[in-house]
Amino acid sequence: MDIDLIAQELEQTGYIVLANALPAELLHGLQKRCEDDGSERFQPAHVGRGAAKQQIRSLRGDVISWIEADDPVDRSFLEQMETLRRELNARLFLGMFDYESHYAIYNSGQGYAKHSDVLQGKKNRILTTVLYLNEDWQPEHGGELVVYDPSGESELLRVQPTFGTMIIFLSESFPHEVLVSNTTRRSIAGWFRVSGS
Ligand code: OGA
Ligand code: MN
């Protein structure tokens, strides 16, 4: 990854889209890990928190599996993100102290309505990353990520979830949505966080 370029784009526009963001071997390992084998490793994602926590399939249709350091492939992904965290902190003084991430699978017919990644009353998410793990993705599969300007009114860009593409953006600044996918769509969503609430 070209850290200087990432830092520059985050500073100037608040987002960057990278192709081939990680080594091919790691991407293939991650793709294999992003398979729902029916063992309940993947669970429906929830929208909202606390008492308001609900499972609203019409808003958010993915099943997710949080990434822990107990699998070698997951660990090497987390190591790469740890390097990114340290190097971006050194350049942008963001004070990011950790990274949380999960695999996500959207089955055909699922998407994620327009939302912000910064949860109400919990502003510790600083940078969002989404890495896509779909080989042979075609435009007619839908499933694009649509990123809006901070007002949420105008569309800034669309990202195809193609294998090895990663978007990084300032979590608080960009509402976004996942258009309904017509086929299985795999990704890893993650957030660099600062400490405290
Ligand atoms: C999310 C999200 C975007 C994507 O998980 O919060 O917005 O393209 N994901 O998968
Ligand atoms: Mn999001």
Side-chain angles (χ1 to χ4, degrees):
M1 288 198 233
D2 183 343
I3 308 275
D4 287 322
L5 180 67
I6 296 171
Q8 181 189 315
E9 286 301 311
L10 289 177
E11 204 160 41
Q12 287 174 2
T13 67
Y15 63 86
I16 185 168
V17 179
L18 304 161
N20 307 312
L22 295 174
E25 197 188 327
L26 176 55
L27 290 171
H28 282 103
L30 293 168
Q31 182 192 41
K32 277 214 188 72
R33 290 275 301 151
C34 195
E35 292 277 353
D36 188 358
D37 59 4
S39 70
E40 302 189 354
R41 187 162 72 89
F42 281 84
Q43 296 288 334
H46 296 270
V47 174
R49 47 194 297 265
K53 196 166 182 173
Q54 296 171 68
Q55 212 177 296
I56 309 175
R57 302 291 288 182
S58 61
L59 279 183
R60 176 172 185 184
D62 54 338
V63 292
I64 66 171
S65 173
W66 288 94
I67 295 184
E68 313 282 354
D70 54 8
D71 172 271
V73 173
D74 292 6
R75 194 152 53 239
S76 97
F77 172 72
L78 293 175
E79 279 164 12
Q80 296 268 344
M81 300 312 282
E82 173 62 13
T83 303
L84 183 59
R85 185 188 70 80
R86 269 189 283 105
E87 298 197 354
L88 286 178
N89 272 345
R91 286 166 178 77
L92 299 173
F93 311 106
L94 291 168
M96 302 182 295
F97 89 109
D98 79 351
Y99 181 70
E100 59 177 356
S101 56
H102 63 62
Y103 291 102
I105 303 173
Y106 293 78
N107 288 308
S108 185
Q110 304 294 347
Y112 191 164
K114 193 197 277 188
H115 66 279
S116 162
D117 284 347
V118 177
L119 309 176
Q120 257 182 345
K122 199 168 175 244
K123 297 208 166 224
N124 60 352
R125 287 177 168 178
I126 296 297
L127 272 188
T128 298
T129 66
V130 191
L131 172 68
Y132 299 106
L133 299 170
N134 307 290
E135 284 178 300
D136 305 318
W137 191 266
Q138 302 298 324
E140 57 269 27
H141 291 151
E144 289 161 303
L145 171 69
V146 184
V147 180
Y148 295 87
D149 76 333
S151 77
E153 275 157 30
S154 45
E155 190 178 316
L156 281 182
L157 74 155
R158 288 187 178 214
V159 183
Q160 303 268 336
T162 54
F163 193 74
T165 297
M166 182 187 281
I167 182 169
I168 307 174
F169 60 90
L170 297 175
S171 302
E172 208 173 4
S173 302
F174 301 100
H176 53 279
E177 74 179 297
V178 178
L179 300 182
V180 169
S181 182
N182 307 315
T183 188
T184 305
R185 177 191 192 271
R186 301 174 203 283
S187 60
I188 297 174
W191 298 272
F192 291 108
R193 304 186 300 182
V194 294
S195 59
S197 61

